[in-house]
Amino acid sequence: MRELHLPERRRFLKAVAGGVAALTVPAMPRQAAAFSSGRLPAPLARAEGNWQLTFEDEFDDPVAFQSTWESLKRGGHKHLTMRYPRNVLVEDGELDLELGHQNDPKRPFTGGYIRTRSFRQTYGYFECEMRIASEPGVNNAFWMVSDRSRQGDTQFELDIAEVKYPNIVQVSARRWKPEKIVLAATYRTDAQLDRAFHRYAMLWTENEFRFFVDDVDVFDVENRFAHTPAMLLFSNAVAPFAGKHDGDVEGAATTIENVRVYQDFSA
């Protein structure tokens, strides 16, 4: 297997409360190196702990997909897209969230939205390999939200990666209730992120969040509120906050090749 030679890791910025910090990272590899199921992801190989795989989907079984994931009809806040189950396609070892159009002046675009039916986890390492849609103005998202049945008074969202064409990635940890807290960073790379699969990941512990792109540590921030189980989500949407779109997204898709979750059993 090809070895991935990482650039020297740098700490780009510290936590930013209530706002977004901008930064620039080194150019990422054009193609993310794959790892076998028996090998830990590079960030975990560098970390302490007894890390074990707790969830995995390579999207090679459409029947198993239906029992693992729930495809939803879902709109959203401040965007122009309605997500439908019909826009979610599992085929040839890939998950496609297809983009399209509909006759609705308020939501003229369509996309996909899925979440895990029963899988929930508190803390761990969460990773996917994703190729974003080749369209401006699209938010391609790998994220988590707290389980409302178990979150108590604290509702939170962890945006492992919100990726915008061609090379913009946003990461964040957000508390929505009781009071809003946003800890976030935006960065750009020289790589065009729709041309290949890239790896997006987050290490969530009791004390901090660490966000990674192609195994490079790009943002570290203190965990001030997320301490209950959360579910996994993938979605896309044409949205003003993702940039200016060209009005035609037919045939484009956000594609996910795999997703893996690990947990530390050393405690």
Side-chain angles (χ1 to χ4, degrees), residues 11-256:
R11 192 61 52 94
F12 291 100
L13 50 88
K14 296 182 179 179
V16 180
V20 177
L23 54 94
T24 301
V25 298
M28 293 182 291
R30 289 287 182 184
Q31 182 68 41
F35 58 87
S36 68
S37 58
R39 178 183 174 187
L40 286 176
L44 292 188
R46 299 191 294 261
E48 296 181 355
N50 177 21
W51 293 97
Q52 298 181 29
L53 190 69
T54 55
F55 180 91
E56 180 178 34
D57 200 336
E58 295 188 347
F59 304 112
D60 53 3
D61 187 337
V63 175
F65 175 84
Q66 295 298 328
S67 64
T68 304
W69 300 89
E70 183 178 11
S71 302
L72 302 174
K73 178 182 178 181
R74 186 62 57 89
H77 186 53
K78 295 183 179 179
H79 67 68
L80 308 171
T81 308
M82 179 63 70
R83 283 73 65 89
Y84 293 102
R86 66 174 181 263
N87 290 58
V88 178
L89 178 65
V90 176
E91 190 174 55
D92 299 328
E94 294 178 349
L95 164 67
D96 286 330
L97 305 180
E98 298 181 330
L99 294 160
H101 301 270
Q102 65 177 2
N103 187 21
D104 182 339
K106 292 184 178 180
R107 296 190 188 276
F109 301 100
T110 63
Y113 188 116
I114 66 170
R115 67 184 180 192
T116 47
R117 290 185 181 275
S118 60
F119 178 77
R120 307 287 188 271
Q121 186 165 306
T122 308
Y123 311 140
Y125 178 84
F126 306 81
E127 174 183 271
C128 82
E129 289 183 287
M130 178 170 64
R131 183 179 64 229
I132 68 169
S134 298
E135 287 288 342
V138 175
N139 190 52
N140 308 264
F142 173 35
W143 51 305
M144 303 178 69
V145 295
S146 54
D147 185 333
R148 292 191 177 186
S149 68
R150 304 166 70 180
Q151 69 186 16
D153 296 330
T154 302
Q155 180 182 350
F156 62 87
E157 173 183 329
L158 308 176
D159 297 318
I160 302 171
E162 291 187 296
V163 191
K164 284 82 168 171
Y165 176 90
N167 64 342
I168 300 172
V169 186
Q170 293 178 319
V171 298
S172 68
R174 303 170 184 267
R175 187 180 73 180
W176 296 114
K177 296 179 181 179
E179 298 90 21
K180 183 178 179 181
I181 296 176
V182 178
L183 308 169
T186 298
Y187 61 92
R188 292 169 171 82
T189 175
D190 292 336
Q192 191 159 324
L193 300 175
D194 64 313
R195 294 184 177 178
F197 288 95
H198 290 269
R199 199 153 43 237
Y200 304 92
M202 176 189 67
L203 178 61
W204 170 24
T205 73
E206 183 179 2
N207 299 315
E208 68 173 346
F209 304 103
R210 301 176 67 185
F211 296 89
F212 301 86
V213 178
D214 288 337
D215 300 333
V216 177
D217 185 348
V218 297
F219 181 46
D220 303 347
V221 66
E222 180 185 1
N223 180 6
R224 298 165 55 184
F225 48 76
H227 305 290
T228 59
M231 67 186 77
L232 298 175
L233 304 96
F234 288 98
S235 64
N236 59 4
V238 179
F241 56 79
K244 185 177 180 179
H245 64 82
D246 63 9
D248 182 10
V249 298
E250 191 69 38
T254 303
T255 302
I256 299 96

